[in-house]
Amino acid sequence: MEISVDVNGTSHAADVEPRTLLVHFIRDTVGLTGTNIGCDTSSCGACTIHVNGEAVKSCTMLAVQADGQQVTTIEGLANGEQLHPMQEAFMECHALQCGYCTPGMVMASVSLLDENPSPTEAEVREGLEGNLCRCTGYHNIVKAVLSAAGGDQ
Amino acid sequence: MIPVQFDYVRPESADAALAALAEHGDEAKLMAGGHSLLPMMKLRLAYPAVVVDIGRLSDLSYVNDAGDHLAIGALTRHRDVETSELVNEHAPLLAAATANVGDLQVRHRGTIGGSLAHADAAADHPSALLALGGSVVARKADGSERVIDGADLFAGFLESSLDPTEMITEVRIPKHTGAGWNFQKFNRRAQDWAIVGVSAQQVNGSARVALVNMHPTPARATAVEAAISGGASAAEAAEQAAEGMEPSSDLNASVEYRQHLARVLTKRALQEAGIS
């Protein structure tokens, strides 16, 4: 099936099988490998991207469902050399260890603040419940999100 | 993991979707948010020949005040139900149960109609539908509609009473403005399904109680309700929570543990809801 997906502001047209997962389309067809595949069962959140501005798990969407939609991946957050404030906050707060969960964590965190610009710590922890960090570095991740939200962390 | 090959259609209207269902019968499956169906297709537990994507039928996404009840479009996403002022005012139990579904990413995609049609006894919504005395509107390609009471919607394990050519178009939730309610969910990890869950709703001095994951279908705890009507305290009534239930034993919990959890959580739910 012919689809056209706007990925980070660039239109990508391709002929895909209906069963192609969106994460595979992003990684293999578009060639953006910042979006990781972790559990492949919509549990871990490593593959979190934005579809029309909202965080979703790209292992649990078909590429054909994204036809004509706007997708943002981790590669689309920075403005040239200028990192997104959430990326800056993750760096400043040492909110990553191995880094595998990081793209998904950052994308989920940006979406979280879009919906709730001044979350409490509890709201951040709850809002990120769909993202697992197997280094268990949650504490600094929560700090980073609060910092990006303008808190005094 | 990728699904078995299938044909994909994305009709522009509910009528066109129903026509596709009528054409393909039980070879076809409706996909709304895809957050129940797609995981099952990836595990190859489901392998429809035709996927009918109704996820973009935005005219079926709404929450309306319909007088004595709320009318919620079948394709209203969990996040929109959870944050709806109308739902929070008139059926806060539904808002709370919805806020417990999966995680934010899942709630951005999953829909109330899709979740109910999936008829999963381990899901949070069906118990709220039962406790609130809700119903669904099911439509067929010939335009005929019927209202299915929540009590009649769940036919068996992962099986609804919907005909393969029917589609849920609306969920109706009677208003319970200001009445006591509570939702309890016990699980081990934040985003998991409930090992056991409880929806409790005060209704005219009595109570409706429904359990999550305690039976092959979402189920009312009728023995608890009868005990409350008979004047029992919350603690006494909750002792009946596992009556008539046939819970499964799995990696998370044995039958006995689930029965224990049902009693403990029902007691908490009744007390928090102010039912006794």
Side-chain angles (χ1 to χ4, degrees), chain B residues 171-243:
Chain B
V171 180
R172 293 180 177 168
I173 304 289
K175 287 184 183 173
H176 290 76
T177 320
W181 62 275
N182 191 251
F183 183 73
Q184 295 282 327
K185 178 172 181 173
F186 187 86
N187 57 13
R188 298 199 298 183
R189 293 173 302 187
Q191 62 189 355
D192 273 349
W193 277 275
I195 295 175
V196 174
V198 181
S199 281
Q201 179 67 50
Q202 224 173 44
V203 188
N204 301 328
S206 186
R208 262 199 304 263
V209 180
L211 302 185
V212 181
N213 219 359
M214 271 299 288
H215 199 66
T217 61
R220 290 262 295 273
T222 50
V224 174
E225 297 175 3
I228 291 290
S229 294
S233 68
E236 290 164 349
E239 286 302 308
Q240 310 295 316
E243 284 299 309

Side-chain angles (χ1 to χ4, degrees), chain A residues 17 40 54 57 67 115, chain B residues 1 5 56 77 103 108:
Chain A
E17 277 191 284
D40 203 6
E54 290 178 331
K57 293 178 174 179
D67 182 23
E115 290 184 29
Chain B
M1 299 183 296
Q5 284 185 325
R56 296 190 198 179
R77 302 174 312 161
D103 48 55
H108 280 149

Side-chain angles (χ1 to χ4, degrees), chain B residues 43-84:
Chain B
L43 292 167
R44 308 210 171 183
L45 297 171
Y47 30 85
V50 182
V51 168
V52 181
D53 183 357
I54 54 172
R56 296 190 198 179
L57 301 182
S58 54
D59 55 335
L60 288 181
S61 173
Y62 56 83
V63 179
N64 291 335
D65 189 328
D68 63 346
H69 69 274
L70 297 179
I72 303 174
L75 291 173
T76 311
R77 302 174 312 161
H78 299 324
R79 184 67 176 154
D80 296 327
V81 173
E82 172 191 352
T83 57
S84 157

Side-chain angles (χ1 to χ4, degrees), chain A residues 1-3 14-18 64 67, chain B residues 8-10:
Chain A
M1 180 178 171
E2 290 285 342
I3 63 168
D15 186 10
V16 300
E17 277 191 284
V64 289
D67 182 23
Chain B
Y8 172 88
V9 292
R10 191 167 59 229

Side-chain angles (χ1 to χ4, degrees), chain A residues 43-64:
Chain A
S43 300
C44 79
C47 66
T48 299
I49 59 161
H50 294 178
V51 174
N52 301 331
E54 290 178 331
V56 304
K57 293 178 174 179
S58 58
C59 76
T60 309
M61 246 186 101
L62 299 167
V64 289

